């Protein structure tokens, strides 16, 4: 319930946001939230992008750029912002092409510590 509340807050407080998901890099969903305008299968989006995120993390390490923390993919019909939480989990936000990406990024960054704290609880 805590995860869904956090994910809902990010979607509902970001103009143009469609849905959000908390997922493991193994492709298993922890929780997700879809807004009223959602038309996206976030489990599929998260699962596909989890592989891309793993490659980005490895590339950043190989290039000695430090730890990658965020990736955004702007496609014709959707923008996806993904934030790595740790080595096991990431959170993603799907937005309409004209959505407020800056606000979405800000809220994901703001809520990351709450998500991590909750993940760490037994």
């Amino acid at each position: 319930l805590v995860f869904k509340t956090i994910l809902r807050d990010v979607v509902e407080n970001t103009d143009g946001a469609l849905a959000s998901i908390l997922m493991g890099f193994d492709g298993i969903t922890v929780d997700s939230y879809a807004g009223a305008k959602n038309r996206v299968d976030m489990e599929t989006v998260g699962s596909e992008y989890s592989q891309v995120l793993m490659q980005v993390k490895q590339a950043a390490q190989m290039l000695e750029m430090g730890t990658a923390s965020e990736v955004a993919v702007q496609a014709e019909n959707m923008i996806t912002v993904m934030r790595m939480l740790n080595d096991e989990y990431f959170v993603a936000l799907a937005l309409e092409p004209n959505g407020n990406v800056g606000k979405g990024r800000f809220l994901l960054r703001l809520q990351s510590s709450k998500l991590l704290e909750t993940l760490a609880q037994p």
Side-chain angles (χ1 to χ4, degrees), residues 77-101:
N77 297 318
M78 185 174 77
I79 300 169
T80 309
V81 179
M82 295 156 283
R83 183 159 191 84
M84 285 77 140
L85 298 175
N86 58 21
D87 287 338
E88 295 177 57
Y89 298 99
F90 69 95
V91 61
L93 176 66
L95 301 105
E96 295 173 335
N98 61 348
N100 190 339
V101 176

Side-chain angles (χ1 to χ4, degrees), residues 52-85:
V52 174
L53 289 176
M54 290 294 285
Q55 291 174 346
V56 168
K57 279 175 48 172
Q58 290 171 350
Q61 289 169 348
M62 287 176 59
L63 296 169
E64 297 179 7
M65 296 170 64
T67 305
S69 61
E70 188 179 275
V71 173
V73 177
Q74 185 163 351
E76 188 177 339
N77 297 318
M78 185 174 77
I79 300 169
T80 309
V81 179
M82 295 156 283
R83 183 159 191 84
M84 285 77 140
L85 298 175

Side-chain angles (χ1 to χ4, degrees), residues 2 5-6 8 13 20-21 31 43 45 52 58-59 64 66 79 85 91 98 101-102 107 110:
V2 174
T5 301
I6 293 170
R8 183 190 69 227
N13 291 303
S20 59
I21 191 166
D31 210 341
E43 291 217 10
V45 170
V52 174
Q58 290 171 350
E64 297 179 7
I79 300 169
L85 298 175
V91 61
N98 61 348
V101 176
L107 292 175
L110 202 64

